[in-house]
Amino acid sequence: MSHAQRPTAGTDWWRSAVIYQVYIRSFADGDGDGIGDLTGLRERLPYLAGLGIDAVWLNPWYPSPMADGGYDVVDYRDIDPAFGTLADAQAMIEEAHALGLRVVIDIVPNHTSDRHPWFRQAVADGPGSPARARYHFRDGKGADGELPPNNWRSVFGGGAWTRVTEPDGTPGQWYLHLFAPEQPDLNWDNEEVRAEFESILRFWFDRGVDGVRIDVAHALDKDPDLPDLGPSDIEVIGSGATAEHPHWDREGVHEIFRGWRAVADSYPEPRAFVAEAWTGAPERLARYVRPDELHTAFNFDYLTAPWRGDRLREAIDSSLAALGSVGATATWVLSNHDVARHVSRYGRPQPDGPVRSLAELATDVPFDLELGTRRARAAALLTLALPGGAYVYQGEELGLWEVEDLPDAVLQDPTWERSGHTDRGRDGCRVPLPWSGDSAPFGYSPSGARAQPWLPQPAAWCELTEEAQRGADGSMLELYRAALRIRAEHPALGDGAMTWDSATGSEVLSFTRTPGLRCLVNLSPDLVVLPEHSGVILASGPLEGGLLPRDTAVWLAV
């Protein structure tokens, strides 16, 4: 096994890094089968390096039946054939490092695929076997065990338990799956499970991977008594869970992650973790990033905040205070593969509370693309000016919107079926990227490809291709390139502190980063007078003399 040359070592590089999320199925198709792959990614690595990001994070690339877009894993030490080979992955890591990019991969520790060898063995070996102890198998309730062990619900809709047929052909025990039935939950009280995942971490770290994003990090620990949930908690996904919740954000997860941190720190240049942890408050999130646990965690309070000055400031302040109390840095993110793209979220009237899906917005109000795009441009400058690290979800640098009119027949998110066709799921933010040309597949697949992209692209995306925006004054792509270049060069940006300016109003966000940079975002309906400055560094849209228009952001030299 060859070892990739790593980017220039940097102390705590993750504290300031801008990390680009690659949803590999939708990034670039190199072999023409309609599915993104490692060949396509490798061909586009120079684009990512030129964009100005510091690292790439890849969603799961492991062998999988794709019941949940790769989050149902059969083998954690190999690559799905649709994406390439282990050799392709090794080459990609080396090529990324040669371009100065670090590589972060996804790990899925809460559950495996139901086709994982462990689960197949568990079903075959029967009740009471060591193989079943790796998962949560329980006898059912009722006279013949015909009822599930408790009333827990799946995040994707419906119950969280499925009954198996025993080796003798009789109805048998039930197994827990907080997500799809094809995703049985692992039992993290089992020492074999813990040892296996520490071994998996070493497998990828030894191959040059720089960091790991932990899927559903808040869910690993379950109350061994598996008590019923009360009416107020039964549908909680995480954001409202209490410390006593039987399967969300429990104390036991922290012991697990302290063990993982020891693995990461055992390398000459320590590897980094980022947690996907849905918690009830920033103070709960801060527990995941204490000095002996994980390095960073996604900031969902900021991601789900509506485009309102008071709500954004509240999310910023609470995040910085809570994470700073344990010496951790914040990470800022606007969109990802699980949330409606922010151009579409911002292009509608904004509510008072958090927003993850378009169903939480006024559905009777038409989407205003111009408004959503203008706000997204301002949000980009706000996000990249905040202290800490940031994530860019593929395509946001192109200004892509949520595809809301995908035909029912092409939808693949398990939420669609599990909800009885009432929730269209997350496919709308996973549509393949447009790279070039005037018609689909817009360079996503090579010329003469034998298959169409796995999800259809809107014809109107012809105006948003990387080719169309490259070098175009005022394009979203050039805004991101300029902002990322300045962020890398300006000593005030990245990790550090910020100070709110005294004149900041509820719908005008203004803060200073030392030395010499002020970020000003106008969310009010009025023009805002720009404060005294020595020059405009970058603006998200046209300025009106010394005035800042609504839904516009500016970086000023001060």
Side-chain angles (χ1 to χ4, degrees):
M1 178 184 68
S2 63
H3 289 271
Q5 178 183 358
R6 305 180 69 76
T8 303
T11 303
D12 296 351
W13 60 269
W14 55 86
R15 295 186 68 93
S16 295
V18 177
I19 301 177
Y20 186 98
Q21 180 186 354
V22 170
Y23 191 75
I24 192 167
R25 287 172 61 85
S26 300
F27 185 70
D29 167 24
D31 63 8
D33 66 354
I35 297 173
D37 49 39
L38 285 168
T39 298
L41 172 58
R42 291 170 64 188
E43 291 172 351
R44 300 290 183 177
L45 284 175
Y47 163 78
L48 295 177
L51 186 61
I53 52 101
D54 301 294
V56 293
W57 154 39
L58 280 71
N59 289 97
W61 55 4
Y62 314 106
S64 169
M66 299 294 168
D68 180 25
Y71 285 90
D72 47 319
V73 179
V74 170
D75 184 350
Y76 291 85
R77 296 180 178 86
D78 204 355
I79 302 298
D80 192 282
F83 301 148
T85 66
L86 194 57
D88 293 331
Q90 185 69 59
M92 186 279 297
I93 295 168
E94 294 177 358
E95 290 164 9
H97 286 172
L99 289 168
L101 301 174
R102 289 182 167 86
V103 176
V104 178
I105 64 169
D106 229 309
I107 197 164
V108 189
N110 181 67
H111 43 261
T112 69
S113 167
D114 62 350
R115 301 187 196 179
H116 190 286
W118 274 12
F119 189 76
R120 289 187 165 182
Q121 182 185 4
V123 174
D125 287 0
S129 64
R132 288 207 175 177
R134 298 167 177 154
Y135 296 89
H136 295 278
F137 278 86
R138 294 292 189 276
D139 294 331
K141 296 179 179 179
D144 299 311
E146 72 277 10
L147 300 176
N150 65 26
N151 67 353
W152 293 5
R153 306 288 292 172
S154 163
V155 171
F156 292 152
W161 294 91
T162 292
R163 198 175 192 184
V164 300
T165 300
E166 300 297 353
D168 63 3
T170 61
Q173 290 188 308
W174 298 70
Y175 67 89
L176 175 68
H177 53 87
L178 292 180
F179 294 86
E182 297 88 351
Q183 296 170 293
D185 279 38
L186 288 161
N187 175 15
W188 276 86
D189 290 331
N190 185 289
E191 290 301 323
E192 193 174 1
V193 171
R194 297 191 180 212
E196 170 68 357
F197 274 84
E198 290 189 6
S199 173
I200 291 166
L201 291 175
R202 293 187 183 279
F203 177 87
W204 290 108
F205 289 158
D206 289 346
R207 280 156 178 76
V209 164
D210 302 277
V212 168
R213 177 262 191 186
I214 307 168
D215 184 59
V216 198
H218 60 289
L220 306 191
D221 184 43
K222 278 85 172 178
D223 186 327
D225 294 332
L226 302 178
D228 278 348
L229 285 166
S232 64
D233 286 330
I234 194 167
E235 297 289 356
V236 165
I237 291 180
S239 59
T242 65
E244 294 76 33
H245 197 282
H247 62 72
W248 293 133
D249 189 28
R250 291 173 53 80
E251 184 63 28
V253 299
H254 300 289
E255 178 188 353
I256 296 167
F257 295 140
R258 281 190 287 270
W260 286 26
R261 179 61 178 260
V263 172
D265 287 351
S266 69
Y267 286 80
E269 184 181 350
R271 304 328 196 225
F273 292 111
V274 57
E276 181 205 29
W278 291 88
T279 64
E283 294 75 22
R284 299 290 303 176
L285 185 65
R287 295 166 63 80
Y288 289 79
V289 290
R290 290 175 288 194
D292 62 343
E293 293 189 41
L294 306 176
H295 303 80
T296 60
F298 288 127
N299 190 336
F300 293 121
D301 285 351
Y302 181 76
L303 183 153
T304 60
W307 186 250
R308 290 182 43 174
D310 55 345
R311 293 292 175 258
L312 287 166
R313 177 161 180 170
E314 179 182 350
I316 293 166
D317 284 343
S318 60
S319 298
L320 291 175
L323 298 174
S325 71
V326 295
T329 191
T331 62
W332 312 100
V333 57
L334 294 168
S335 288
N336 65 30
H337 66 293
D338 285 333
V339 178
R341 287 189 178 274
H342 59 277
V343 166
S344 294
R345 301 198 318 268
Y346 292 160
R348 290 175 164 87
Q350 297 296 285
D352 181 62
V355 181
R356 289 184 65 189
S357 71
L358 300 183
E360 296 165 298
L361 298 169
T363 56
D364 58 338
V365 178
F367 165 52
D368 187 332
L369 175 60
E370 191 279 330
L371 176 66
T373 300
R374 188 170 72 249
R375 289 174 169 174
R377 292 173 64 88
L381 293 196
L382 170 63
T383 300
L384 293 173
L386 291 170
Y391 282 78
V392 174
Y393 178 47
Q394 64 176 42
E396 75 173 70
E397 81 279 13
L398 302 178
L400 301 187
W401 59 80
E402 184 84 356
V403 183
E404 302 177 45
D405 58 353
L406 289 169
D408 292 356
V410 306
L411 297 178
Q412 300 188 28
D413 191 320
T415 302
W416 173 239
E417 293 295 337
R418 297 276 292 172
S419 68
H421 294 180
T422 60
D423 187 334
R424 294 178 63 80
R426 301 160 293 176
D427 290 323
C429 64
R430 301 175 176 183
V431 174
L433 297 191
W435 290 98
S436 61
D438 297 326
S439 60
F442 299 116
Y444 162 76
S445 296
S447 178
R450 63 185 184 277
Q452 294 297 311
W454 70 284
L455 289 174
Q457 302 152 304
W461 278 6
C462 65
E463 299 178 359
L464 299 182
T465 65
E466 185 272 335
E467 179 183 59
Q469 296 193 52
R470 188 191 321 136
D473 289 343
S475 71
M476 184 75 83
L477 176 59
E478 293 305 326
L479 175 70
Y480 268 80
R481 281 182 166 160
L484 290 168
R485 182 184 67 253
I486 294 167
R487 192 181 193 276
E489 297 171 351
H490 201 293
L493 296 173
D495 194 25
M498 60 173 278
T499 302
W500 290 110
D501 298 322
S502 58
T504 301
S506 63
E507 292 304 302
V508 179
L509 302 179
S510 179
F511 58 89
T512 300
R513 301 291 311 274
T514 302
L517 186 140
R518 173 177 285 177
C519 177
L520 187 67
V521 187
N522 181 18
L523 293 85
S524 76
D526 304 315
L527 293 168
V528 170
V529 177
L530 295 179
E532 183 177 346
H533 61 276
S534 58
V536 173
I537 298 173
L538 186 63
S540 67
L543 305 180
E544 298 186 16
L547 302 175
L548 185 66
R550 185 177 190 176
D551 296 319
T552 306
V554 64
W555 291 352
L556 301 175
V558 294

